[in-house]
Amino acid sequence: MQGKYKALWLDENDNLVVLDQRVLPFEETTVTITNAQETVDAIENMTVRGAGVIGNVAAFGVYLAARESAGDFDRLEELAKDIRESRPTAVNLMWAVDRMMALAKKKQKLLPANFLKALKNEAILIADEDCERSQKIAEYGADIIEEIMLNRELDTFNVLTHCNAGWLAIVDSGTALAPIYEAQKRDIKIHVWVDETRPRNQGANLTAWELAKAGIEHTVIADNTGGHLMQQKMVDMVITGADRVAKSGDSANKIGTYLKALAAKDNDVPFYIALPASTFDFEITDGVEQIPIEIRSEDEVKYMRGLDKEGRVQELQVVQSQSSALNYGFDVTPARLITGLITERGVCEASVDAVSEMFEDLI
Ligand code: MRU
């Protein structure tokens, strides 16, 4: 893999091209990002979203910022700070900008062309490493699926997922969806319950689109359906991605994940979080107290986008104007509700001891 990924790539002028996730699944268009401000806009307005891809876009954004600041290192630092602050919860964003800026500091005395080349190569390396991590997560996750299937002699394996943690969110096969793609390769009969994931509908719009493209059987459900399905023994496992995970295993993910974890606990359904090491925040142990939760515009709750009967994309107001709305982007699932963390290094218990042991070299 060298710089061409499914959700983002560099064009012939070394600008970053991304799939516009705001308009999927009804339109497939791209947006070209040429500088730092456009990087910030794309992350803020969710042209791109999902912890991993945000990190990748930010890394390429630092490269574009370096090109724009033409040797002025102070300017580059300012632009990188803007990119770093474009969204608050997904820690891959800060991780990627810090990694790029650490390299920029080391290489700042190089000739301008070589300096830029070093930054571009680092951004490509970050994305390449994400692809490798996704593949490992796919394999460890699919091993769990295989084991549960065999133990319970299941014919079809039913997974429930929330939001989108496929290749639109982490290059190049995702985190939560990676084991599902791998299970398909292993000829495991798999069916996915896709939470629609209000208010932005990342499940209905993005996960369902990815699964349909891959030919994986799936059913979109309203967000409140999962608990009932679990009571009826229609869910064999829940897998979600994460945006920031504390050293204790407390995991921030799209709003509503916590409620699924509670229902899973009450029904003895295994609940896994899939994540690469770059999604850990080893500085914190209490996720509920310490992970910053983004509050987004109330318009995301009050308006919905879709196709009308004539097939035209329309945005409709679904809440009366005189009511206000509150839009928390994420919630935190406490470690006690998590069966395990599926990482590129293996499956890890959600606890300070287990995480510290597996990621000792990074802490
Ligand atoms: O607000 P988003 O769409 O950027 O949030 C992304 C998520 O919360 C996803 O659920 C995902 O699991 C994390 S990215 C792998």
PDB file of all heavy atoms in Angstrom, residues 46 48-52 54 87 90 162-166 169-170 175-176 200 202 206 240-243 252-255 257 274 294 296 329-330, ligand 1:
ATOM      1  N   MET A  46     -17.230  17.216   9.075  1.00  0.00           N
ATOM      2  CA  MET A  46     -17.416  15.774   8.897  1.00  0.00           C
ATOM      3  C   MET A  46     -17.485  15.320   7.440  1.00  0.00           C
ATOM      4  O   MET A  46     -18.143  14.336   7.119  1.00  0.00           O
ATOM      5  CB  MET A  46     -18.590  15.264   9.728  1.00  0.00           C
ATOM      6  CG  MET A  46     -18.220  15.259  11.209  1.00  0.00           C
ATOM      7  SD  MET A  46     -19.550  14.955  12.355  1.00  0.00           S
ATOM      8  CE  MET A  46     -19.692  13.186  12.302  1.00  0.00           C
ATOM      9  N   VAL A  48     -14.868  14.186   6.371  1.00  0.00           N
ATOM     10  CA  VAL A  48     -14.259  12.933   6.836  1.00  0.00           C
ATOM     11  C   VAL A  48     -14.554  12.814   8.314  1.00  0.00           C
ATOM     12  O   VAL A  48     -14.630  13.809   9.020  1.00  0.00           O
ATOM     13  CB  VAL A  48     -12.726  12.922   6.642  1.00  0.00           C
ATOM     14  CG1 VAL A  48     -12.367  12.794   5.186  1.00  0.00           C
ATOM     15  CG2 VAL A  48     -12.081  14.152   7.263  1.00  0.00           C
ATOM     16  N   ARG A  49     -14.754  11.565   8.765  1.00  0.00           N
ATOM     17  CA  ARG A  49     -14.991  11.367  10.195  1.00  0.00           C
ATOM     18  C   ARG A  49     -14.552   9.947  10.532  1.00  0.00           C
ATOM     19  O   ARG A  49     -14.211   9.157   9.651  1.00  0.00           O
ATOM     20  CB  ARG A  49     -16.442  11.662  10.600  1.00  0.00           C
ATOM     21  CG  ARG A  49     -17.526  11.399   9.624  1.00  0.00           C
ATOM     22  CD  ARG A  49     -17.685   9.975   9.234  1.00  0.00           C
ATOM     23  NE  ARG A  49     -17.844   9.129  10.397  1.00  0.00           N
ATOM     24  CZ  ARG A  49     -17.518   7.883  10.480  1.00  0.00           C
ATOM     25  NH1 ARG A  49     -16.976   7.258   9.445  1.00  0.00           N
ATOM     26  NH2 ARG A  49     -17.683   7.190  11.577  1.00  0.00           N
ATOM     27  N   GLY A  50     -14.569   9.653  11.835  1.00  0.00           N
ATOM     28  CA  GLY A  50     -14.043   8.365  12.277  1.00  0.00           C
ATOM     29  C   GLY A  50     -12.605   8.576  12.737  1.00  0.00           C
ATOM     30  O   GLY A  50     -11.794   9.165  12.006  1.00  0.00           O
ATOM     31  N   ALA A  51     -12.311   8.075  13.937  1.00  0.00           N
ATOM     32  CA  ALA A  51     -11.048   8.423  14.598  1.00  0.00           C
ATOM     33  C   ALA A  51      -9.815   8.226  13.707  1.00  0.00           C
ATOM     34  O   ALA A  51      -8.969   9.112  13.594  1.00  0.00           O
ATOM     35  CB  ALA A  51     -10.917   7.594  15.876  1.00  0.00           C
ATOM     36  N   GLY A  52      -9.712   7.073  13.068  1.00  0.00           N
ATOM     37  CA  GLY A  52      -8.498   6.769  12.301  1.00  0.00           C
ATOM     38  C   GLY A  52      -8.333   7.661  11.092  1.00  0.00           C
ATOM     39  O   GLY A  52      -7.253   8.217  10.842  1.00  0.00           O
ATOM     40  N   ILE A  54      -9.666  10.541  10.551  1.00  0.00           N
ATOM     41  CA  ILE A  54      -9.387  11.913  11.010  1.00  0.00           C
ATOM     42  C   ILE A  54      -7.879  12.057  11.251  1.00  0.00           C
ATOM     43  O   ILE A  54      -7.251  13.041  10.845  1.00  0.00           O
ATOM     44  CB  ILE A  54     -10.177  12.242  12.304  1.00  0.00           C
ATOM     45  CG1 ILE A  54     -11.674  12.341  12.020  1.00  0.00           C
ATOM     46  CG2 ILE A  54      -9.674  13.538  12.930  1.00  0.00           C
ATOM     47  CD1 ILE A  54     -12.535  12.511  13.275  1.00  0.00           C
ATOM     48  N   ARG A  87     -11.236  18.754  16.208  1.00  0.00           N
ATOM     49  CA  ARG A  87     -12.282  18.020  16.936  1.00  0.00           C
ATOM     50  C   ARG A  87     -11.675  17.543  18.254  1.00  0.00           C
ATOM     51  O   ARG A  87     -10.488  17.223  18.288  1.00  0.00           O
ATOM     52  CB  ARG A  87     -12.811  16.821  16.120  1.00  0.00           C
ATOM     53  CG  ARG A  87     -13.806  17.241  15.023  1.00  0.00           C
ATOM     54  CD  ARG A  87     -14.494  16.047  14.385  1.00  0.00           C
ATOM     55  NE  ARG A  87     -15.584  15.535  15.190  1.00  0.00           N
ATOM     56  CZ  ARG A  87     -16.256  14.401  14.895  1.00  0.00           C
ATOM     57  NH1 ARG A  87     -15.911  13.697  13.821  1.00  0.00           N
ATOM     58  NH2 ARG A  87     -17.239  13.974  15.652  1.00  0.00           N
ATOM     59  N   ALA A  90     -11.708  12.319  19.420  1.00  0.00           N
ATOM     60  CA  ALA A  90     -10.878  11.249  18.827  1.00  0.00           C
ATOM     61  C   ALA A  90      -9.398  11.583  19.009  1.00  0.00           C
ATOM     62  O   ALA A  90      -8.883  12.552  18.467  1.00  0.00           O
ATOM     63  CB  ALA A  90     -11.206  11.090  17.344  1.00  0.00           C
ATOM     64  N   HIS A 162     -22.352  -0.353  16.099  1.00  0.00           N
ATOM     65  CA  HIS A 162     -22.900   1.004  16.277  1.00  0.00           C
ATOM     66  C   HIS A 162     -21.994   1.981  15.549  1.00  0.00           C
ATOM     67  O   HIS A 162     -20.783   1.835  15.566  1.00  0.00           O
ATOM     68  CB  HIS A 162     -22.936   1.323  17.782  1.00  0.00           C
ATOM     69  CG  HIS A 162     -23.702   2.558  18.130  1.00  0.00           C
ATOM     70  ND1 HIS A 162     -25.077   2.625  18.052  1.00  0.00           N
ATOM     71  CD2 HIS A 162     -23.297   3.777  18.554  1.00  0.00           C
ATOM     72  CE1 HIS A 162     -25.482   3.834  18.431  1.00  0.00           C
ATOM     73  NE2 HIS A 162     -24.410   4.558  18.719  1.00  0.00           N
ATOM     74  N   CYS A 163     -22.587   2.966  14.904  1.00  0.00           N
ATOM     75  CA  CYS A 163     -21.843   3.983  14.160  1.00  0.00           C
ATOM     76  C   CYS A 163     -21.123   3.329  12.969  1.00  0.00           C
ATOM     77  O   CYS A 163     -21.553   2.296  12.468  1.00  0.00           O
ATOM     78  CB  CYS A 163     -20.874   4.723  15.075  1.00  0.00           C
ATOM     79  SG  CYS A 163     -20.252   6.263  14.347  1.00  0.00           S
ATOM     80  N   ASN A 164     -20.051   3.942  12.511  1.00  0.00           N
ATOM     81  CA  ASN A 164     -19.268   3.340  11.422  1.00  0.00           C
ATOM     82  C   ASN A 164     -17.823   3.251  11.857  1.00  0.00           C
ATOM     83  O   ASN A 164     -17.205   4.262  12.217  1.00  0.00           O
ATOM     84  CB  ASN A 164     -19.365   4.170  10.140  1.00  0.00           C
ATOM     85  CG  ASN A 164     -18.376   3.649   9.093  1.00  0.00           C
ATOM     86  OD1 ASN A 164     -17.282   4.175   8.942  1.00  0.00           O
ATOM     87  ND2 ASN A 164     -18.745   2.594   8.403  1.00  0.00           N
ATOM     88  N   ALA A 165     -17.317   2.048  11.858  1.00  0.00           N
ATOM     89  CA  ALA A 165     -15.887   1.840  12.129  1.00  0.00           C
ATOM     90  C   ALA A 165     -15.348   0.886  11.075  1.00  0.00           C
ATOM     91  O   ALA A 165     -14.672  -0.099  11.358  1.00  0.00           O
ATOM     92  CB  ALA A 165     -15.681   1.309  13.535  1.00  0.00           C
ATOM     93  N   GLY A 166     -15.676   1.210   9.824  1.00  0.00           N
ATOM     94  CA  GLY A 166     -15.176   0.436   8.689  1.00  0.00           C
ATOM     95  C   GLY A 166     -14.055   1.200   8.011  1.00  0.00           C
ATOM     96  O   GLY A 166     -13.403   2.050   8.633  1.00  0.00           O
ATOM     97  N   ALA A 169     -13.714   4.892   8.215  1.00  0.00           N
ATOM     98  CA  ALA A 169     -13.301   5.465   9.507  1.00  0.00           C
ATOM     99  C   ALA A 169     -11.845   5.161   9.861  1.00  0.00           C
ATOM    100  O   ALA A 169     -11.224   5.909  10.611  1.00  0.00           O
ATOM    101  CB  ALA A 169     -14.213   4.955  10.623  1.00  0.00           C
ATOM    102  N   ILE A 170     -11.338   4.029   9.383  1.00  0.00           N
ATOM    103  CA  ILE A 170      -9.931   3.651   9.641  1.00  0.00           C
ATOM    104  C   ILE A 170      -9.425   3.006   8.358  1.00  0.00           C
ATOM    105  O   ILE A 170      -9.975   1.984   7.934  1.00  0.00           O
ATOM    106  CB  ILE A 170      -9.825   2.603  10.780  1.00  0.00           C
ATOM    107  CG1 ILE A 170     -10.293   3.160  12.124  1.00  0.00           C
ATOM    108  CG2 ILE A 170      -8.415   2.032  10.851  1.00  0.00           C
ATOM    109  CD1 ILE A 170      -9.228   3.536  13.113  1.00  0.00           C
ATOM    110  N   THR A 175     -11.947  -0.958  11.998  1.00  0.00           N
ATOM    111  CA  THR A 175     -11.680  -1.630  13.270  1.00  0.00           C
ATOM    112  C   THR A 175     -12.841  -2.582  13.577  1.00  0.00           C
ATOM    113  O   THR A 175     -12.707  -3.788  13.417  1.00  0.00           O
ATOM    114  CB  THR A 175     -11.480  -0.608  14.405  1.00  0.00           C
ATOM    115  OG1 THR A 175     -12.568   0.330  14.385  1.00  0.00           O
ATOM    116  CG2 THR A 175     -10.155   0.113  14.261  1.00  0.00           C
ATOM    117  N   ALA A 176     -14.019  -2.038  13.910  1.00  0.00           N
ATOM    118  CA  ALA A 176     -15.145  -2.923  14.229  1.00  0.00           C
ATOM    119  C   ALA A 176     -15.575  -3.762  13.022  1.00  0.00           C
ATOM    120  O   ALA A 176     -16.000  -4.914  13.178  1.00  0.00           O
ATOM    121  CB  ALA A 176     -16.327  -2.111  14.747  1.00  0.00           C
ATOM    122  N   ARG A 200     -26.296  11.598  13.204  1.00  0.00           N
ATOM    123  CA  ARG A 200     -25.692  11.725  11.873  1.00  0.00           C
ATOM    124  C   ARG A 200     -25.879  10.477  11.007  1.00  0.00           C
ATOM    125  O   ARG A 200     -25.447  10.448   9.860  1.00  0.00           O
ATOM    126  CB  ARG A 200     -24.191  12.025  11.983  1.00  0.00           C
ATOM    127  CG  ARG A 200     -23.836  13.393  12.527  1.00  0.00           C
ATOM    128  CD  ARG A 200     -24.152  14.507  11.564  1.00  0.00           C
ATOM    129  NE  ARG A 200     -23.341  14.482  10.384  1.00  0.00           N
ATOM    130  CZ  ARG A 200     -22.654  15.515   9.895  1.00  0.00           C
ATOM    131  NH1 ARG A 200     -22.668  16.667  10.552  1.00  0.00           N
ATOM    132  NH2 ARG A 200     -21.974  15.421   8.790  1.00  0.00           N
ATOM    133  N   GLN A 202     -24.450   7.527  10.907  1.00  0.00           N
ATOM    134  CA  GLN A 202     -23.267   6.870  10.324  1.00  0.00           C
ATOM    135  C   GLN A 202     -23.511   5.380  10.065  1.00  0.00           C
ATOM    136  O   GLN A 202     -22.896   4.796   9.181  1.00  0.00           O
ATOM    137  CB  GLN A 202     -22.057   7.012  11.259  1.00  0.00           C
ATOM    138  CG  GLN A 202     -21.487   8.411  11.335  1.00  0.00           C
ATOM    139  CD  GLN A 202     -22.049   9.184  12.493  1.00  0.00           C
ATOM    140  OE1 GLN A 202     -23.196   8.978  12.885  1.00  0.00           O
ATOM    141  NE2 GLN A 202     -21.274  10.092  13.046  1.00  0.00           N
ATOM    142  N   LEU A 206     -23.392   4.958   6.294  1.00  0.00           N
ATOM    143  CA  LEU A 206     -22.013   4.576   5.962  1.00  0.00           C
ATOM    144  C   LEU A 206     -21.747   3.077   6.150  1.00  0.00           C
ATOM    145  O   LEU A 206     -21.251   2.414   5.240  1.00  0.00           O
ATOM    146  CB  LEU A 206     -21.019   5.397   6.800  1.00  0.00           C
ATOM    147  CG  LEU A 206     -21.189   6.925   6.701  1.00  0.00           C
ATOM    148  CD1 LEU A 206     -20.199   7.632   7.611  1.00  0.00           C
ATOM    149  CD2 LEU A 206     -21.036   7.415   5.258  1.00  0.00           C
ATOM    150  N   THR A 240     -17.817  -2.628  18.489  1.00  0.00           N
ATOM    151  CA  THR A 240     -17.806  -1.231  18.042  1.00  0.00           C
ATOM    152  C   THR A 240     -16.356  -0.761  17.959  1.00  0.00           C
ATOM    153  O   THR A 240     -15.448  -1.418  18.478  1.00  0.00           O
ATOM    154  CB  THR A 240     -18.576  -0.286  18.995  1.00  0.00           C
ATOM    155  OG1 THR A 240     -17.783  -0.046  20.165  1.00  0.00           O
ATOM    156  CG2 THR A 240     -19.929  -0.835  19.399  1.00  0.00           C
ATOM    157  N   GLY A 241     -16.168   0.374  17.333  1.00  0.00           N
ATOM    158  CA  GLY A 241     -14.860   1.015  17.332  1.00  0.00           C
ATOM    159  C   GLY A 241     -14.747   1.905  18.565  1.00  0.00           C
ATOM    160  O   GLY A 241     -15.538   1.787  19.523  1.00  0.00           O
ATOM    161  N   ALA A 242     -13.786   2.796  18.546  1.00  0.00           N
ATOM    162  CA  ALA A 242     -13.609   3.736  19.660  1.00  0.00           C
ATOM    163  C   ALA A 242     -12.915   4.981  19.157  1.00  0.00           C
ATOM    164  O   ALA A 242     -12.216   4.950  18.136  1.00  0.00           O
ATOM    165  CB  ALA A 242     -12.788   3.098  20.767  1.00  0.00           C
ATOM    166  N   ASP A 243     -13.122   6.048  19.886  1.00  0.00           N
ATOM    167  CA  ASP A 243     -12.493   7.335  19.548  1.00  0.00           C
ATOM    168  C   ASP A 243     -11.383   7.696  20.515  1.00  0.00           C
ATOM    169  O   ASP A 243     -10.459   8.416  20.163  1.00  0.00           O
ATOM    170  CB  ASP A 243     -13.554   8.427  19.508  1.00  0.00           C
ATOM    171  CG  ASP A 243     -14.509   8.171  18.358  1.00  0.00           C
ATOM    172  OD1 ASP A 243     -15.442   7.375  18.548  1.00  0.00           O
ATOM    173  OD2 ASP A 243     -14.270   8.712  17.264  1.00  0.00           O
ATOM    174  N   ALA A 252     -14.462   5.747  24.891  1.00  0.00           N
ATOM    175  CA  ALA A 252     -15.393   6.714  24.291  1.00  0.00           C
ATOM    176  C   ALA A 252     -15.673   6.283  22.860  1.00  0.00           C
ATOM    177  O   ALA A 252     -14.753   5.993  22.097  1.00  0.00           O
ATOM    178  CB  ALA A 252     -14.775   8.108  24.288  1.00  0.00           C
ATOM    179  N   ASN A 253     -16.933   6.220  22.529  1.00  0.00           N
ATOM    180  CA  ASN A 253     -17.339   5.940  21.145  1.00  0.00           C
ATOM    181  C   ASN A 253     -18.632   6.708  20.897  1.00  0.00           C
ATOM    182  O   ASN A 253     -19.160   7.387  21.789  1.00  0.00           O
ATOM    183  CB  ASN A 253     -17.522   4.432  20.942  1.00  0.00           C
ATOM    184  CG  ASN A 253     -17.637   4.071  19.478  1.00  0.00           C
ATOM    185  OD1 ASN A 253     -16.813   4.473  18.667  1.00  0.00           O
ATOM    186  ND2 ASN A 253     -18.678   3.333  19.100  1.00  0.00           N
ATOM    187  N   LYS A 254     -19.126   6.608  19.677  1.00  0.00           N
ATOM    188  CA  LYS A 254     -20.318   7.364  19.280  1.00  0.00           C
ATOM    189  C   LYS A 254     -21.432   7.249  20.315  1.00  0.00           C
ATOM    190  O   LYS A 254     -21.676   6.179  20.866  1.00  0.00           O
ATOM    191  CB  LYS A 254     -20.776   6.842  17.907  1.00  0.00           C
ATOM    192  CG  LYS A 254     -21.959   7.531  17.296  1.00  0.00           C
ATOM    193  CD  LYS A 254     -21.820   9.033  17.195  1.00  0.00           C
ATOM    194  CE  LYS A 254     -20.598   9.500  16.446  1.00  0.00           C
ATOM    195  NZ  LYS A 254     -20.288  10.945  16.704  1.00  0.00           N
ATOM    196  N   ILE A 255     -22.122   8.353  20.542  1.00  0.00           N
ATOM    197  CA  ILE A 255     -23.202   8.409  21.530  1.00  0.00           C
ATOM    198  C   ILE A 255     -24.178   7.228  21.326  1.00  0.00           C
ATOM    199  O   ILE A 255     -24.586   6.943  20.198  1.00  0.00           O
ATOM    200  CB  ILE A 255     -23.934   9.781  21.437  1.00  0.00           C
ATOM    201  CG1 ILE A 255     -24.859  10.021  22.629  1.00  0.00           C
ATOM    202  CG2 ILE A 255     -24.687   9.959  20.115  1.00  0.00           C
ATOM    203  CD1 ILE A 255     -24.163  10.501  23.840  1.00  0.00           C
ATOM    204  N   THR A 257     -23.362   4.097  22.417  1.00  0.00           N
ATOM    205  CA  THR A 257     -22.592   2.850  22.580  1.00  0.00           C
ATOM    206  C   THR A 257     -22.769   2.296  24.001  1.00  0.00           C
ATOM    207  O   THR A 257     -22.948   1.092  24.205  1.00  0.00           O
ATOM    208  CB  THR A 257     -21.098   3.111  22.289  1.00  0.00           C
ATOM    209  OG1 THR A 257     -20.981   3.675  20.984  1.00  0.00           O
ATOM    210  CG2 THR A 257     -20.284   1.837  22.367  1.00  0.00           C
ATOM    211  N   ALA A 274     -12.988  -2.606  19.244  1.00  0.00           N
ATOM    212  CA  ALA A 274     -11.832  -2.854  18.372  1.00  0.00           C
ATOM    213  C   ALA A 274     -11.108  -1.527  18.147  1.00  0.00           C
ATOM    214  O   ALA A 274     -11.744  -0.522  17.800  1.00  0.00           O
ATOM    215  CB  ALA A 274     -12.302  -3.437  17.043  1.00  0.00           C
ATOM    216  N   GLU A 294     -17.362  15.778  22.793  1.00  0.00           N
ATOM    217  CA  GLU A 294     -17.744  16.840  21.857  1.00  0.00           C
ATOM    218  C   GLU A 294     -19.254  17.102  21.931  1.00  0.00           C
ATOM    219  O   GLU A 294     -20.044  16.167  21.944  1.00  0.00           O
ATOM    220  CB  GLU A 294     -17.360  16.381  20.438  1.00  0.00           C
ATOM    221  CG  GLU A 294     -17.719  17.344  19.342  1.00  0.00           C
ATOM    222  CD  GLU A 294     -17.242  16.844  17.969  1.00  0.00           C
ATOM    223  OE1 GLU A 294     -17.050  15.619  17.800  1.00  0.00           O
ATOM    224  OE2 GLU A 294     -17.068  17.680  17.082  1.00  0.00           O
ATOM    225  N   ARG A 296     -21.963  18.852  19.542  1.00  0.00           N
ATOM    226  CA  ARG A 296     -22.076  19.360  18.177  1.00  0.00           C
ATOM    227  C   ARG A 296     -23.373  20.167  18.020  1.00  0.00           C
ATOM    228  O   ARG A 296     -24.190  20.246  18.923  1.00  0.00           O
ATOM    229  CB  ARG A 296     -22.021  18.178  17.181  1.00  0.00           C
ATOM    230  CG  ARG A 296     -20.653  17.475  17.220  1.00  0.00           C
ATOM    231  CD  ARG A 296     -20.530  16.437  16.131  1.00  0.00           C
ATOM    232  NE  ARG A 296     -20.690  16.992  14.802  1.00  0.00           N
ATOM    233  CZ  ARG A 296     -19.690  17.518  14.083  1.00  0.00           C
ATOM    234  NH1 ARG A 296     -18.460  17.549  14.557  1.00  0.00           N
ATOM    235  NH2 ARG A 296     -19.927  17.990  12.871  1.00  0.00           N
ATOM    236  N   GLY A 329     -21.759  14.166  21.059  1.00  0.00           N
ATOM    237  CA  GLY A 329     -21.285  13.278  19.996  1.00  0.00           C
ATOM    238  C   GLY A 329     -20.895  11.888  20.474  1.00  0.00           C
ATOM    239  O   GLY A 329     -20.945  10.919  19.701  1.00  0.00           O
ATOM    240  N   PHE A 330     -20.507  11.752  21.733  1.00  0.00           N
ATOM    241  CA  PHE A 330     -19.921  10.494  22.210  1.00  0.00           C
ATOM    242  C   PHE A 330     -20.401  10.189  23.621  1.00  0.00           C
ATOM    243  O   PHE A 330     -20.876  11.076  24.317  1.00  0.00           O
ATOM    244  CB  PHE A 330     -18.383  10.600  22.218  1.00  0.00           C
ATOM    245  CG  PHE A 330     -17.831  10.957  20.849  1.00  0.00           C
ATOM    246  CD1 PHE A 330     -17.641  12.286  20.491  1.00  0.00           C
ATOM    247  CD2 PHE A 330     -17.547   9.972  19.930  1.00  0.00           C
ATOM    248  CE1 PHE A 330     -17.176  12.617  19.223  1.00  0.00           C
ATOM    249  CE2 PHE A 330     -17.077  10.296  18.663  1.00  0.00           C
ATOM    250  CZ  PHE A 330     -16.893  11.623  18.309  1.00  0.00           C
TER     251      PHE A 330
HETATM  252  O1  MRU B   1     -18.362  11.459  15.011  1.00  0.00           O
HETATM  253  P1  MRU B   1     -17.659  10.409  14.212  1.00  0.00           P
HETATM  254  O2  MRU B   1     -18.451   9.866  13.077  1.00  0.00           O
HETATM  255  O3  MRU B   1     -16.268  10.844  13.822  1.00  0.00           O
HETATM  256  O4  MRU B   1     -17.463   9.243  15.268  1.00  0.00           O
HETATM  257  C1  MRU B   1     -16.848   8.047  14.954  1.00  0.00           C
HETATM  258  C2  MRU B   1     -17.256   6.995  15.878  1.00  0.00           C
HETATM  259  O5  MRU B   1     -17.615   7.217  17.005  1.00  0.00           O
HETATM  260  C3  MRU B   1     -17.274   5.632  15.393  1.00  0.00           C
HETATM  261  O6  MRU B   1     -18.170   4.919  16.147  1.00  0.00           O
HETATM  262  C4  MRU B   1     -16.051   4.857  15.351  1.00  0.00           C
HETATM  263  O7  MRU B   1     -16.211   3.703  16.021  1.00  0.00           O
HETATM  264  C5  MRU B   1     -14.815   5.386  15.878  1.00  0.00           C
HETATM  265  S1  MRU B   1     -13.724   5.510  14.521  1.00  0.00           S
HETATM  266  C6  MRU B   1     -13.073   3.953  14.286  1.00  0.00           C
END
